[in-house]
Amino acid sequence: MLEIVFARGRIGAGVIKVIGVEEKNRLSSEHLNKEEIKNLNKIAKQNKFSGKQGTFLELNSSKGKLLVMGLGKNPNALDLQKLGGMLYNKVAQTEVVQYLVSAIFGSKLSKTEIAHNIAFGVLLGSYRFDKYFTQKKPDEYPSLERVIFKLEQGEKATEEFKPYAALANAVRYGRDLCNEPANYLTPQVFADDIQRLSYLGLDIEILGQQELEEKGFNLLLAIAQGSVKEPKVAVIKWKGNPASEEWDLGLVGKGVTFDSGGISIQPWSGMEEMKADMTGAAVVVASLKAAALQCIRKNIIGIVGLVENMPSGNATRPGDVVTSMSGQTVEVINTDAEGRLVLADCLWYLQDQYGAKKIIDIATLTGAIMRALGGEYAGLFCNDNKLINDLLSSSDISGEKLWHMPMGEEFNKKINSDIADMKNIGGALGAGSTAACFISRFVQKNTKWAHLDIAGMENEKKGTPITPKGATAFGVRLLNDFINHKI
């Protein structure tokens, strides 16, 4: 894996040096002398380089190759992370790079914080999922092995970077899970991989078919029964504050490792993307991994329901009625509205067995949210104003964008059934809101709850500086900020 180093010492020749310059009339850097600054501005003028954010200028001098990166005007932490991803793509075929860190005029960020955020962006932007390629040539793989950030207090900066490195590790882990094909990442394999994380100090319990039947996970089992793959539920606990018996936060994740739609089978076009219908579960697991790696002094519990949704002679039929763990009955109108059934039992179990009073569920739930928000935002549904504001704040900080969406009786009444307590869909109009209303019926009194519908956010089609093409693990950075600073 790419190595990030913070040090003040000199390094050998042949290393590309990088400086960041702000967007100004005259470009400057504390690492250049007056003559070098004069030459820089001359060459910048010739190349119409102004320091605009994300632009680059290459200079060759007697001291070696210098790469100038435009920082723009007063970049914030998220801007610097994106610039780190851009820098990685620029220097990926170089073995060693040294970034000469300068203060940014007018910024509240210290030199160390500037270095940390750029380095974090480098780690996020360097992610690749290439394990199944057999024909790639050696020169198609990146050469970059080390990025050195020149700072006076290198040891202190190294220690303070550990939470960033831990979060990058967790994001990359989440992306790996989501990129895996469904024939490899079955519910059993997913559960085994979660169990492996116990080495971090996580307390992990895996529930199999028999235990799920005994405990009454009937909605989840109704979805799983069409597949030959046995369903699993994983309960993951991080006791960062062992002096307390309370859970600071509960997380619930939808883990449908492949969603064909069941009897209500989906169109063939795009069905291959349904391997990522377990993204919510991956985000929950990765968030618990980040909490453990960062040794967060809070108690977090997560639960993920791992199933395949397949059509077969044993599959749940449209029109079937199933009794949930809560005792409420559900008429299944559409077997492709399966995620809310998985979440409902898991959500109830987390409250009933563990007493969690603040819960966030995350799921690739509805195509309706994609049509409403265009794949630019995830939908936020919530029953508590402070929780709404805290999540929106973490959204702004992480860059993983949320948009607060409505619930209410006008949506809730659409899921009333003629023959059961509720039905699992409420029609095409407002489908994201009616899905949230369905889940809300399994939220117990006095529980603060938020539902994040991340459909459309789980896969990056083109690639961005910090989210290369493919799985995004959307929500890991957002939840990490929330866990660290909002509870």
Side-chain angles (χ1 to χ4, degrees), residues 61-88:
S61 69
S62 58
K63 295 184 178 180
K65 187 174 182 178
L66 179 68
L67 183 64
V68 184
M69 181 170 71
L71 302 178
K73 296 179 180 178
N74 196 18
N76 59 26
L78 185 57
D79 291 330
L80 293 172
Q81 292 168 23
K82 293 176 181 176
L83 286 164
M86 293 178 190
L87 176 61
Y88 173 81

Side-chain angles (χ1 to χ4, degrees), residues 317-431:
R317 297 158 292 253
D320 286 359
V321 174
V322 185
T323 301
S324 70
M325 183 185 293
S326 71
Q328 300 175 92
T329 55
V330 178
E331 181 187 10
V332 179
I333 302 297
N334 187 326
T335 63
D336 193 28
E338 85 298 333
R340 65 203 69 184
L341 304 183
V342 173
L343 293 174
D345 276 344
C346 289
L347 180 61
W348 190 266
Y349 189 73
L350 202 59
Q351 296 167 98
D352 198 50
Q353 294 296 311
Y354 297 98
K357 293 299 183 184
K358 182 182 289 185
I359 297 177
I360 300 170
D361 77 69
I362 185 164
T364 48
L365 206 68
T366 66
I369 206 70
M370 297 167 60
R371 289 188 287 274
L373 301 178
E376 298 296 328
Y377 296 80
L380 164 63
F381 302 83
C382 189
N383 67 0
D384 181 79
N385 287 333
K386 184 179 185 301
L387 185 52
I388 291 169
N389 291 331
D390 286 344
L391 283 167
L392 289 175
S393 173
S394 291
S395 168
D396 290 339
I397 290 167
S398 67
E400 295 185 316
K401 299 187 292 184
L402 300 178
W403 193 269
H404 182 212
M405 300 293 288
M407 292 189 294
E409 186 55 30
E410 63 272 28
F411 294 111
N412 192 41
K413 66 183 181 182
K414 291 184 177 183
I415 58 170
N416 290 334
S417 167
D418 293 333
I419 66 168
D421 293 328
M422 69 193 87
K423 54 188 178 181
N424 73 328
I425 61 169
L429 299 180

Side-chain angles (χ1 to χ4, degrees), residues 223-238:
I223 297 305
Q225 71 187 46
S227 173
V228 296
K229 307 294 185 185
E230 181 180 325
K232 302 289 181 181
V233 166
V235 180
I236 312 153
K237 305 172 195 172
W238 170 249

Side-chain angles (χ1 to χ4, degrees), residues 42-116:
K42 180 180 178 181
I43 296 171
K45 186 176 181 180
Q46 292 172 350
N47 289 272
K48 297 181 179 180
F49 177 85
S50 63
K52 183 179 178 180
Q53 195 170 100
T55 57
F56 291 88
L57 181 66
E58 295 183 17
L59 301 175
N60 291 300
S61 69
S62 58
K63 295 184 178 180
K65 187 174 182 178
L66 179 68
L67 183 64
V68 184
M69 181 170 71
L71 302 178
K73 296 179 180 178
N74 196 18
N76 59 26
L78 185 57
D79 291 330
L80 293 172
Q81 292 168 23
K82 293 176 181 176
L83 286 164
M86 293 178 190
L87 176 61
Y88 173 81
N89 288 323
K90 189 73 176 178
V91 299
Q93 297 307 321
T94 304
E95 290 186 4
V96 181
V97 168
Q98 184 182 40
Y99 190 97
L100 309 175
V101 185
S102 296
I104 297 174
F105 179 77
S107 175
K108 295 181 181 179
L109 298 172
S110 67
K111 285 185 180 180
T112 299
E113 289 171 325
I114 292 166
H116 283 168

Side-chain angles (χ1 to χ4, degrees), residues 138-151:
D139 60 2
E140 292 179 315
Y141 291 93
S143 303
L144 189 62
E145 297 179 355
R146 183 182 300 173
V147 181
I148 303 167
F149 290 84
K150 186 173 183 179
L151 289 169

Side-chain angles (χ1 to χ4, degrees), residues 21 40 48 88 107 158 177 222 281 432 451:
V21 297
L40 169 62
K48 297 181 179 180
Y88 173 81
S107 175
T158 299
L177 287 172
H451 160 58

